[in-house]
């Protein structure tokens, strides 16, 4: 991408609830083509060895929402169907929505990156649904203006 080219912008509305991660997304240039997606609610923490194994097993025929795992800092999680089918993940209902939301949000972003065939860099405008009792936890997501996320395939 040339230095002065504008990055693609994606709009995302995200609900990372205990019943599943639901999101609507669109390329900002094509809002009329907005698409919805659902990921199962399960999530499970993975050891680094499991990540190495997942990277070795290229599951290219599966839908992105069914083969999602994320890393944030030094922690790795299988999210959605992969968590439930391969790692017996739980719904994590004992944790607050905010505690699990960052991993589910990263999973949704990776799914969108794959479905829209986005490059390594893009701009993301996000709206996250939080229950009223957890609104005070919104700072967990970081600065409302700029959050840098690195997502690899």
């Amino acid at each position: 991408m040339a230095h002065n080219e504008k990055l693609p912008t994606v709009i995302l509305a995200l609900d990372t609830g205990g019943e599943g991660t639901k999101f609507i997304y669109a390329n900002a240039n094509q809002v009329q083509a907005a698409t919805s997606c659902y990921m199962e609610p399960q999530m499970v923490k993975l050891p680094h060895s499991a990540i190495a194994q997942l990277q070795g097993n290229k599951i290219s025929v599966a839908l992105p929402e069914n083969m999602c795992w994320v890393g944030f800092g030094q922690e790795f999680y299988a999210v959605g169907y992969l968590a439930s089918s391969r790692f017996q993940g739980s719904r994590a209902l004992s944790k607050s929505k905010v505690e699990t939301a960052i991993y589910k949000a990263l999973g949704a972003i990776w799914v969108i990156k794959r479905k829209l065939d986005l490059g390594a860099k893009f701009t993301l405008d996000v709206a996250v649904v939080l229950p009223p009792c957890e609104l005070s936890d919104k700072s967990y997501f970081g600065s409302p203006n700029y959050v840098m996320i690195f997502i690899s395939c």
Side-chain angles (χ1 to χ4, degrees):
M1 179 173 285
H3 180 64
N4 59 356
E5 281 188 56
K6 188 174 180 183
L7 294 174
T9 299
V10 175
I11 300 169
L12 168 63
L14 176 68
D15 180 356
T16 61
E19 296 299 319
T21 300
K22 297 149 301 267
F23 52 103
I24 299 170
Y25 63 94
N27 188 312
N29 302 0
Q30 302 169 328
V31 176
Q32 68 280 5
T35 305
S36 64
C37 192
Y38 170 83
M39 292 175 66
E40 294 184 24
Q42 288 79 5
M43 209 176 94
V44 64
K45 189 172 184 175
L46 299 175
H48 193 267
S49 60
I51 296 303
Q53 183 182 9
L54 285 172
Q55 287 177 322
N57 299 340
K58 298 291 182 190
I59 315 171
S60 60
V61 295
L63 295 171
E65 59 268 31
N66 293 337
M67 60 180 197
C68 184
W69 62 270
V70 297
F72 184 69
Q74 294 300 313
E75 295 189 356
F76 299 94
Y77 286 86
V79 181
Y81 180 77
L82 180 66
S84 65
S85 67
R86 189 148 175 204
F87 299 103
Q88 293 76 44
S90 70
R91 287 183 171 210
L93 291 176
S94 61
K95 294 182 179 183
S96 78
K97 189 174 186 177
V98 172
E99 287 179 89
T100 60
I102 192 71
Y103 302 102
K104 291 180 177 185
L106 288 173
I109 294 166
W110 179 81
V111 167
I112 292 166
K113 179 187 182 305
R114 295 291 300 264
K115 287 184 173 271
L116 294 180
D117 195 27
L118 297 168
K121 294 181 179 183
F122 56 94
T123 302
L124 184 66
D125 294 333
V126 183
V128 178
V129 177
L130 291 174
C133 63
E134 294 183 13
L135 283 177
S136 63
D137 295 332
K138 66 184 174 188
S139 64
Y140 185 80
F141 284 98
S143 166
N145 297 322
Y146 300 100
V147 177
M148 186 173 290
I149 301 172
F150 295 98
I151 300 175
S152 64
C153 292

